[in-house]
């Protein structure tokens, strides 16, 4: 498995998607730990996320309180999410990000990621994330297309 650590340190480096936001898509902030848990479990099953498997409701409530969660909906249906976790040093981690497989290829992920990065720069001065070879094939190219650059490979 290969893990890529990416960062963007200047808001001016953020590149929006070339495709327009698909009709019927809205990106809204949510404060519901059930959303975080559901997306983590559904996407996690697809991409072998295991860190939070088996956590209870109390843990998920604490997690949701630490992150800022944005949900992409297509015609009202949940399509993807992004969690932003401000760090003590002023950085903001994209803790989790993903689009449900049924919505892949519609341009939702690029807009959701661009929205998340723009919001992260309102919360801090550097945005970072990591993705790995177990994640979807569009993950790394999407981060790079938004202006994030690799700073470490493990």
């Amino acid at each position: 498995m290969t893990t890529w650590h990416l960062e963007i340190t200047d808001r001016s480096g953020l590149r929006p998607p070339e495709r327009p936001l698909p009709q019927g898509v809205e990106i809204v902030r949510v404060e519901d730990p059930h959303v975080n848990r559901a997306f983590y479990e559904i996407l996690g099953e697809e991409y072998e996320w295991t860190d939070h498997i088996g956590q209870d409701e109390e843990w998920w409530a604490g997690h949701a309180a630490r992150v800022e969660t944005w949900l992409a909906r297509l015609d009202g249906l949940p399509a993807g999410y992004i969690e932003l976790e401000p760090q003590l040093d002023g950085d903001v981690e994209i803790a989790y990000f993903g689009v449900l497989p049924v919505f892949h290829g519609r341009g939702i992920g690029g807009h959701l990621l661009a929205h998340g990065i723009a919001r992260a720069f309102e919360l801090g001065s550097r945005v970072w994330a990591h993705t790995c070879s177990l994640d979807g094939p569009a993950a790394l190219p999407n981060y790079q297309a938004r202006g994030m650059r690799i700073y470490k490979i493990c």
Side-chain angles (χ1 to χ4, degrees), residues 1-6 40 43-51 81 94-99 101 104 129-143:
M1 181 180 76
T2 303
T3 300
W4 298 274
H5 297 259
L6 301 106
Y40 181 88
L43 291 169
E45 185 175 347
E46 180 83 13
Y47 301 115
E48 299 186 38
W49 297 351
T50 59
D51 297 346
Y81 86 132
I94 298 173
Y96 288 94
F97 163 66
V99 174
H104 286 181
H130 66 273
T131 188
C132 74
S133 53
L134 298 175
D135 288 337
L140 181 60
N142 191 10
Y143 284 116

Side-chain angles (χ1 to χ4, degrees), residues 16-25 27 74 105-112 146:
E18 293 178 11
R19 295 166 56 179
L21 183 68
Q23 188 170 349
V25 172
I27 300 172
L74 174 60
R106 301 182 190 199
I108 296 170
H111 285 279
L112 180 58
R146 303 292 71 78

Side-chain angles (χ1 to χ4, degrees), residues 1-153:
M1 181 180 76
T2 303
T3 300
W4 298 274
H5 297 259
L6 301 106
E7 69 180 351
I8 183 169
T9 58
D10 187 339
R11 183 185 193 115
S12 67
L14 173 59
R15 294 190 302 262
E18 293 178 11
R19 295 166 56 179
L21 183 68
Q23 188 170 349
V25 172
E26 63 178 345
I27 300 172
V28 296
R29 185 169 178 192
V30 294
E31 296 179 1
D32 180 352
H34 296 99
V35 169
N36 300 77
R37 184 178 197 164
F39 269 96
Y40 181 88
E41 289 177 351
I42 293 167
L43 291 169
E45 185 175 347
E46 180 83 13
Y47 301 115
E48 299 186 38
W49 297 351
T50 59
D51 297 346
H52 307 319
I53 297 297
Q55 296 293 348
D56 62 18
E57 295 292 323
E58 183 178 339
W59 186 92
W60 281 104
H63 174 77
R66 283 190 311 278
V67 299
E68 187 172 296
T69 304
W70 292 84
L71 178 68
R73 294 191 290 224
L74 174 60
D75 297 328
L77 297 173
Y81 86 132
I82 189 167
E83 293 180 354
L84 307 175
E85 186 170 3
Q87 311 287 296
L88 294 175
D89 60 4
D91 290 353
V92 178
E93 178 186 4
I94 298 173
Y96 288 94
F97 163 66
V99 174
L100 297 173
V102 69
F103 296 103
H104 286 181
R106 301 182 190 199
I108 296 170
H111 285 279
L112 180 58
L113 182 56
H115 178 89
I117 292 170
R119 174 62 182 144
F121 274 117
E122 294 173 3
L123 301 171
S125 57
R126 174 181 172 259
V127 183
W128 69 278
H130 66 273
T131 188
C132 74
S133 53
L134 298 175
D135 288 337
L140 181 60
N142 191 10
Y143 284 116
Q144 293 176 307
R146 303 292 71 78
M148 297 187 82
R149 66 180 188 281
I150 297 170
Y151 68 90
K152 182 169 87 171
I153 301 174

